[in-house]
Amino acid sequence: GKTTLAEGLLFKMGSTTKWFKPAEKNSVLDYEADARDRGGTIDAGFGFGKWKKTHLNLVDTPGASDFAGATVGGLAAVETAAVVIAANQGVSVNTRKGWALARRAGQPRIIVVTKIDAENVAVDALIAAIRATFGAVCNPLQVPIGAGEAVSGLVNVLTPAADAPADARKKAESFAEGLKSAIYEADDELVTRYLEGGEISADETNAAFCKAIWAGTVCPILFTSSAKAIGFDELLNFIVTVCPSPAMGVRAKLVGADGAEAAAPEPDAAKPLLGRVVRTLIDPVIGKINFIRVYQGTLARDVPFADPAGGKPGKMMPPGRPLGKERKEVGAVGPGDIVAVPKIDALSCGDTVRDPAVAGVLEPLPFPRPMVMLAVEPAEQKDIQKLGDSLRKLAQGDPTFNVNRDPRIQELTTSGLTDLHLRVMLERLHTRFKVACKTKPPRIPYRETINGKGESRYRHKKQTGGAGQFAEVAIRVRPAPRGGEDPLVFKNDIFGGAISGNYVPSVEKGVRDRMSKGVLAGYPVVDVEVSLWDGKEHPVDSKDVAFQTAGKNAFREAFLQANPGILEPYAIATITIPNRFLGEITSDLNSVRRGRVIGMDAEGDFQVIKARVPLSEMQNYASSLRAMTQGEGDYVVEPSEYDILPKHLEARVIAGFKAEVEE
């Protein structure tokens, strides 16, 4: 009910003429066709309005962790994160993940419970579950009057109405002391007065409440019902009178060119411009649209800004306040505002928007790393260039969707947060850019190497019409130290001028060419030392191309003699799971995925496992981990070193390569 809640707030503020709802497929904030079809948020949706003379910016972000990149960008645009919980569903996996994203961003939080009119809602049990999950900082600010379909209103814990039903009033009073203590602890003078029984005004309470939310020492729980329009006025009143405002400061840190922290941004409209792109949309008609949160200074048309890539400064296009897909042009905006600015190609999501006079950039946003990969190729060969260009445009709008072409294995790959995330992005490739593609699991970037010594003498002779070719080379090969910067250590051990010096680079070039194409299974060869120790040449027919050819073939023969093998890439996987799944996860890593657990740490009810695992065994890990942990597990992988692939698996890789060649 998160987007329905946001749409209700827009309607209450008069920003929209109707309460649009995702279930009716007419949502203002979820205006993309795929979001409406799914009935769930994919991108951050922006809206604004006015309540009691206060301008309010609202960002609706995805609840599903599949699209967490949009949530990270949205959090950078606001002062307060509202974690939304459906009363009839309780604290879910995605609730935990959303809370964690806000906590890592250092964002003040409130909890908004929706659907309190649903059947079988036990408010007391829900409050207890929230406190058990997120801590004693969570305190109800309201309690519902009635239950289920009989819900008729709310009672404020701090100021219960005299005419409220006795049972609801009594329950509100039972929460009052805990909430007041949490609020006043943010102010030494007020907590003393409170403990001594002194009077504290509503304005003083609100100011202390705001400071406590900003400090994270209290997280109020508010309640709503969209079906009965309960709690919306109260929520808006709370936002504009208590929740932190832009005037309280900027949490984003500015970092200088040397990596040291620079002067903190100030919410002052008179200072040089400083802001952040919190979302980038690539519109097929308009082009690039950047959504910018202003932290400092004034953003207006023709205001200069520094090119993040180091090019010459650009000038700002006319800004507009976004309401779904619409933009209301404004002359200028200051700290705290969010605007959509079209047609600035130099900026993309996450970039710092700054006056050229501002030194340093804002710390990078903590976007989650994409872990799920798919190789892609165009359905029609004529679209090969269009495919790459279109994928890169999609990637500009989503930092958690990556596109990479590996020149060593000639494969275009995409990576995303989950299978669903990738599927949605590739559907957009088709609907927005009219490019159809085929997908398959990506090739593992194996490497070939040798484990012993070998030697070969190869003569290349060609006398079939025209100029002849002649070259003879003798080489020895042996293993070089693993993981060297250069895959080849080439030594010229020729004595007595058996080969002219100008042909030695030709031999090396031929060897490198053969190494780049592989010998066993088409993967690059690494960690080899080659010694050129003898050879012959012809006064007429010897030439560069002949010695290249001789070098290629001599290397192939020597390589096959030197106990060749295949190296596979390993990764260090960091896996976070609830404690109850520890045994199943470690067993899977050790016995199924050929991994080795190298460390474990406890974090509350969670375990953080570090394991060294072959990269090939992690290809389907996202879906497997989700199934094993009921969606509660997370992981990241960092590339590690290469190691020998077991012989039975090596045979499969070689057989697969031969089948591809035959096909």
Side-chain angles (χ1 to χ4, degrees):
K2 174 181 51 57
T3 300
T4 300
L5 171 70
E7 296 279 1
L9 296 175
L10 291 175
F11 175 65
K12 278 283 185 179
M13 290 189 289
S15 300
T16 56
T17 57
K18 176 185 175 183
W19 191 334
F20 296 100
K21 299 179 180 179
E24 299 170 1
K25 299 189 183 300
N26 60 5
S27 171
V28 171
L29 298 171
D30 280 347
Y31 59 86
E32 296 285 1
D34 49 7
R36 288 185 173 181
D37 290 342
R38 283 186 72 252
T41 303
I42 295 174
D43 306 294
F46 296 81
F48 67 93
K50 187 166 285 189
W51 187 257
K52 294 189 174 179
K53 299 182 180 180
T54 299
H55 180 81
L56 175 65
N57 289 310
L58 180 152
V59 187
D60 177 35
T61 61
S65 58
D66 307 82
F67 310 105
T71 304
V72 171
L75 284 166
V78 299
E79 278 73 49
T80 306
V83 180
V84 181
I85 301 173
N88 58 342
Q89 295 175 7
V91 177
S92 69
V93 173
N94 285 326
T95 312
R96 291 174 182 264
K97 291 181 177 179
W99 177 278
L101 285 173
R103 185 189 67 226
R104 288 172 196 151
Q107 205 70 293
R109 281 146 280 167
I110 67 173
I111 289 175
V112 180
V113 177
T114 60
K115 303 183 181 181
I116 58 172
D117 58 300
E119 294 182 10
N120 302 318
V121 171
V123 172
D124 288 348
L126 177 60
I127 292 172
I130 291 172
R131 289 173 63 86
T133 305
F134 302 125
V137 296
C138 301
N139 289 274
L141 176 64
Q142 305 155 339
V143 295
I145 299 172
E149 293 184 358
V151 165
S152 59
L154 301 170
V155 176
N156 191 292
V157 167
L158 295 176
T159 56
D163 59 350
D167 57 342
R169 184 182 176 89
K170 184 177 180 180
K171 185 175 290 187
E173 290 171 349
S174 71
F175 290 119
E177 185 175 347
L179 179 58
K180 288 179 180 178
S181 295
I183 291 171
Y184 298 140
E185 281 179 8
D187 188 302
D188 292 340
E189 191 272 328
L190 288 184
V191 73
T192 301
R193 202 191 314 167
Y194 171 68
L195 293 173
E196 292 175 351
E199 289 292 323
I200 301 176
S201 70
D203 287 344
E204 288 177 310
T205 296
N206 287 342
F209 207 165
C210 180
K211 286 170 63 178
I213 292 174
W214 182 257
T217 57
V218 67
C219 174
I221 305 171
L222 297 94
F223 295 86
T224 65
S225 164
S226 298
K228 295 194 170 189
I230 292 173
F232 284 79
D233 284 12
E234 292 90 337
L235 177 55
L236 284 167
N237 288 338
F238 180 78
I239 291 171
V240 300
T241 58
V242 176
C243 283
S245 79
M248 295 189 71
V250 181
R251 289 184 180 270
K253 294 180 180 178
L254 200 63
V255 178
D258 58 355
E261 189 172 329
E266 298 179 42
D268 184 343
K271 288 188 172 292
L273 174 65
L274 180 63
R276 166 116 60 192
V277 179
V278 294
R279 184 193 171 191
T280 295
L281 168 65
I282 307 297
D283 187 280
V285 178
I286 300 174
K288 182 181 281 189
I289 302 174
N290 287 301
F291 295 77
I292 300 172
R293 159 65 199 260
V294 180
Y295 296 129
Q296 172 184 290
T298 300
L299 187 151
R301 181 172 187 163
D302 293 333
V303 166
F305 67 91
D307 185 336
K312 66 178 183 179
K315 287 192 175 181
M316 197 61 61
M317 297 296 288
R321 287 201 176 106
L323 181 62
K325 66 179 179 181
E326 305 297 331
R327 292 188 308 118
K328 180 181 179 181
E329 285 202 13
V330 289
V333 295
D337 226 330
I338 303 170
V339 289
V341 182
K343 300 179 180 178
I344 299 182
D345 291 334
L347 297 174
S348 289
C349 187
D351 282 344
T352 300
V353 182
R354 62 182 179 89
D355 185 287
V358 174
V361 296
L362 294 166
E363 283 185 320
L365 294 178
F367 290 109
R369 182 178 300 161
M371 291 288 117
V372 181
M373 295 180 66
L374 277 176
V376 295
E377 57 186 43
E380 298 183 41
Q381 198 61 24
K382 66 180 179 65
D383 287 335
I384 189 166
Q385 182 65 44
K386 189 177 180 182
L387 172 66
D389 293 343
S390 301
L391 285 171
R392 279 182 277 275
K393 287 180 180 178
L394 284 174
Q396 287 180 2
D398 186 348
T400 62
F401 175 71
N402 290 348
V403 182
N404 180 60
R405 181 177 291 280
D406 190 332
R408 295 165 295 187
I409 55 177
Q410 294 300 308
E411 188 170 64
L412 184 66
T413 59
T414 59
S415 52
L417 297 179
T418 64
D419 299 324
L420 175 60
H421 180 216
L422 271 184
R423 190 163 66 247
V424 167
M425 297 305 287
L426 294 179
E427 286 172 358
R428 288 183 167 183
L429 175 72
H430 184 249
T431 56
R432 291 185 181 179
F433 300 101
K434 312 304 178 188
V435 180
C437 70
K438 297 182 289 186
T439 64
K440 60 182 179 181
R443 292 180 73 191
I444 300 299
Y446 294 112
R447 299 288 182 265
E448 299 179 18
T449 194
I450 55 174
N451 302 293
K453 297 178 180 180
E455 66 175 88
S456 171
R457 180 181 290 270
Y458 188 90
R459 174 177 288 188
H460 173 67
K461 188 175 182 180
K462 180 181 178 184
Q463 296 290 344
T464 55
Q469 292 185 15
F470 179 89
E472 182 176 313
V473 299
I475 64 171
R476 298 187 180 104
V477 300
R478 66 178 183 177
R482 184 84 71 222
E485 289 187 14
D486 192 331
L488 170 65
V489 177
F490 188 84
K491 295 185 175 181
N492 177 14
D493 291 330
I494 293 287
F495 292 100
I499 297 177
S500 300
N502 58 306
Y503 290 135
V504 173
S506 303
V507 176
E508 181 180 353
K509 187 175 181 181
V511 170
R512 288 188 181 276
D513 184 64
R514 181 72 264 175
M515 288 177 63
S516 70
K517 295 179 172 63
V519 178
L520 297 177
Y523 293 97
V525 176
V526 296
D527 305 334
V528 174
E529 179 183 304
V530 173
S531 168
L532 173 63
W533 65 276
D534 196 13
K536 293 181 181 179
E537 63 182 71
H538 187 276
V540 176
D541 293 341
S542 288
K543 55 196 68 175
D544 170 72
V545 67
F547 277 95
Q548 284 189 45
T549 303
K552 291 179 189 178
N553 290 292
F555 177 78
R556 183 180 185 280
E557 290 181 354
F559 181 88
L560 292 172
Q561 294 176 19
N563 188 17
I566 293 178
L567 297 171
E568 65 173 331
Y570 273 69
I572 301 300
T574 303
I575 307 158
T576 304
I577 55 168
N579 288 326
R580 64 186 186 278
F581 299 114
L582 179 62
E584 185 177 0
I585 297 304
T586 54
S587 175
D588 175 72
L589 289 169
N590 293 328
S591 60
V592 177
R593 300 186 187 276
R594 299 189 289 125
R596 179 169 60 88
V597 174
I598 57 177
M600 282 192 286
D601 288 304
E603 288 188 1
D605 295 334
F606 286 78
Q607 284 285 336
V608 180
I609 303 168
K610 281 191 178 291
R612 179 179 181 269
V613 192
L615 187 61
S616 61
E617 303 292 349
M618 299 297 290
Q619 280 196 307
N620 65 342
Y621 196 63
S623 55
S624 296
L625 183 65
R626 190 181 307 120
M628 288 187 288
T629 63
Q630 300 169 20
E632 294 188 63
D634 273 323
Y635 77 105
V636 294
V637 293
E638 292 280 355
S640 186
E641 77 288 353
Y642 276 76
D643 209 341
I644 297 293
L645 180 69
K647 283 296 180 183
H648 70 285
L649 297 177
E650 178 185 300
R652 291 184 197 172
V653 173
I654 294 173
F657 171 68
K658 289 179 177 178
E660 285 183 16
V661 171
E662 289 173 4
E663 185 180 348

